[in-house]
Amino acid sequence: MSAAPAADVPTGNTFDKYGSENPVVRRLMAGFERTLDELFTQAAPASVLDVGCGEGVLSQQWAARLDPGRVIGIDLPDPKLEAEWALRGAPNLGFSAMRAEQLAFADDEFDLVAATEVLEHVPDPRRVLSEMARVAHGHLLVSVPHEPLWRVLNVARGAYLRDLGNTPGHLNHWSRRGFVALLADFGQVVEVRSPFPWTMLLVRVG
């Protein structure tokens, strides 16, 4: 995600969708995580950079799966996130507060660079994707809300009506076709999936 003071962490990112007990959220997340796992398996990385890692839930899972392969999670500077990171230590797992627009890594440093539910929040998604593609020598794995479906669902449940269903912190909105077209500028789109209500892509770079 883009650099910002801790107070500016997007509100839409503070909901713990992975730990939710809501049965509807759990059903939706099951489809999301199943699709993510399938694409991750297809990419078969030995090292991962998790951009916009949040509390580090996925980073920790991937580190356990790839051990001893290196996994790094980055996100905005935020004491709450950093407290979560401290609880998720592993020899092959690290976390850092860092600008996604200027990644402090070498070209081609990671097999896979992931950004799940991140690009909708950043002011300049092309710049972030350019940096992600620079440090990846295998694949990008990215997901965003499927629009306008996402906002329609919010309105249907009576959420964010003043903003026409737009989740707080969502600066960018893509249809499936629009998101595929964007990612095609950074590599070969090898898989396009639509776990309801998201769009998820696996992109080969290099």
Side-chain angles (χ1 to χ4, degrees), residues 23-59:
V24 175
V25 174
R26 292 181 66 177
R27 189 177 306 115
L28 294 177
M29 287 306 301
F32 178 93
E33 293 181 85
R34 181 172 56 253
T35 304
L36 186 68
D37 182 70
E38 290 171 357
L39 296 185
F40 187 91
T41 299
Q42 182 173 337
S47 59
V48 176
L49 175 63
D50 187 7
V51 175
C53 66
E55 294 84 356
V57 175
L58 285 177
S59 304

Side-chain angles (χ1 to χ4, degrees), residues 10-16 25 121 145 147 149-170 173:
T11 303
N13 263 7
T14 62
F15 174 62
D16 180 15
V25 174
H121 295 283
E147 296 288 9
L149 176 60
W150 186 272
R151 280 175 290 179
V152 170
L153 292 173
N154 277 340
V155 170
R157 67 187 181 91
Y160 316 128
L161 297 180
R162 291 184 179 180
D163 295 316
L164 302 179
N166 186 54
T167 300
H170 286 197
H173 309 87

Side-chain angles (χ1 to χ4, degrees), residues 64-183:
R65 179 170 178 173
L66 296 185
D67 187 27
R70 178 182 179 219
V71 176
I72 300 294
I74 70 161
D75 211 310
L76 298 171
D78 182 299
K80 292 182 180 179
L81 294 185
E82 291 168 14
E84 289 285 337
W85 298 346
L87 299 175
R88 301 181 189 277
N92 65 326
L93 175 62
F95 294 100
S96 183
M98 186 182 303
R99 292 178 59 96
E101 297 90 343
Q102 191 172 2
L103 296 172
F105 301 108
D107 294 357
D108 304 326
E109 188 165 340
F110 296 92
D111 290 339
L112 175 69
V113 179
T116 57
E117 303 308 285
V118 173
L119 294 172
E120 65 270 24
H121 295 283
V122 301
D124 191 347
R126 283 189 171 274
R127 182 174 177 185
V128 172
L129 284 166
S130 179
E131 277 292 276
M132 290 174 60
R134 179 184 65 79
V135 303
H137 66 81
H139 293 86
L140 305 180
L141 179 54
V142 293
S143 71
V144 293
H146 183 177
E147 296 288 9
L149 176 60
W150 186 272
R151 280 175 290 179
V152 170
L153 292 173
N154 277 340
V155 170
R157 67 187 181 91
Y160 316 128
L161 297 180
R162 291 184 179 180
D163 295 316
L164 302 179
N166 186 54
T167 300
H170 286 197
L171 306 178
N172 309 297
H173 309 87
W174 289 283
S175 65
R176 173 179 165 129
R177 179 179 297 181
F179 196 55
V180 170
L182 172 66
L183 268 294

Side-chain angles (χ1 to χ4, degrees), residues 138-140 183-191 202-206:
H139 293 86
L140 305 180
L183 268 294
D185 289 341
F186 298 92
Q188 178 189 359
V189 178
V190 294
E191 287 284 349
L202 183 66
V203 181
R204 183 178 295 114
V205 299

